[in-house]
Amino acid sequence: MLSAVPCAYARRAPLVDLPYTPLRTPQGGAVTLEQAQAAIIDGARSMGWTVLSREPGRMHLQLQLRTHSVDVAVKYDAGGFDMDYLSSADMDYTNKGDKAFIHPNYNVWTYNLSDTIAASPMLEAGFVPPDPNAPPPPSVLT
């Protein structure tokens, strides 16, 4: 039996903007704003995302895979973060009224990023994140 759904629509899912995700230390304690920022940067880099811009409380992240790219805004504070869709390329994004649809991999990629941020070692109690603006250490190879 043939499907009545065109092929282009079969590869779309409702776009999910992730809700606010609390950040806690593995022991359940509060984290600092600096730890939240470091966890987002660490999680993004470990999942192949690039930090395109950063300002207090907000980052612009991008993931590029082959011909596909997605851009998200991550808003954060010392308690947690949320993630919103900004734009994409080659992801079959459509917006119909108040409903947005996109390739289902978008939701997988953003859920994975969110989980990685929430489990970042940067959230360890007592961890002091490195200054993201500090120069790299000198090379030990001479």
Side-chain angles (χ1 to χ4, degrees):
M1 174 175 212
L2 295 175
S3 171
V5 178
C7 217
Y9 291 99
R11 297 197 47 97
R12 287 191 187 144
L15 185 144
V16 177
D17 279 328
L18 297 179
Y20 189 81
T21 302
L23 290 175
R24 308 298 286 171
T25 67
Q27 299 78 22
V31 301
T32 66
L33 185 64
E34 292 78 17
Q35 283 178 298
Q37 177 179 306
I40 293 164
I41 293 169
D42 176 64
R45 288 181 178 159
S46 71
M47 296 299 292
W49 292 74
T50 302
V51 179
L52 294 183
S53 66
R54 179 176 64 215
E55 59 189 61
R58 187 179 188 281
M59 286 187 216
H60 178 173
L61 306 180
Q62 182 179 73
L63 179 66
Q64 288 197 277
L65 296 170
R66 299 171 301 281
T67 62
H68 312 285
S69 71
V70 296
D71 289 64
V72 297
V74 179
K75 294 174 285 208
Y76 64 95
D77 57 28
F81 68 96
D82 65 16
M83 200 176 306
D84 294 318
Y85 174 87
L86 291 176
S87 64
S88 62
D90 201 20
M91 293 295 291
D92 296 326
Y93 174 83
T94 59
N95 192 332
K96 297 184 179 200
D98 62 347
K99 287 272 195 186
F101 297 88
I102 196 162
H103 192 288
N105 283 353
Y106 169 83
N107 294 327
V108 172
W109 296 337
T110 55
Y111 278 118
N112 288 343
L113 175 59
S114 179
D115 287 348
T116 302
I117 292 168
S120 172
M122 303 296 170
L123 301 175
E124 290 289 333
F127 177 79
V128 179
D131 179 354
N133 300 314
S139 174
V140 294
L141 300 176
T142 57

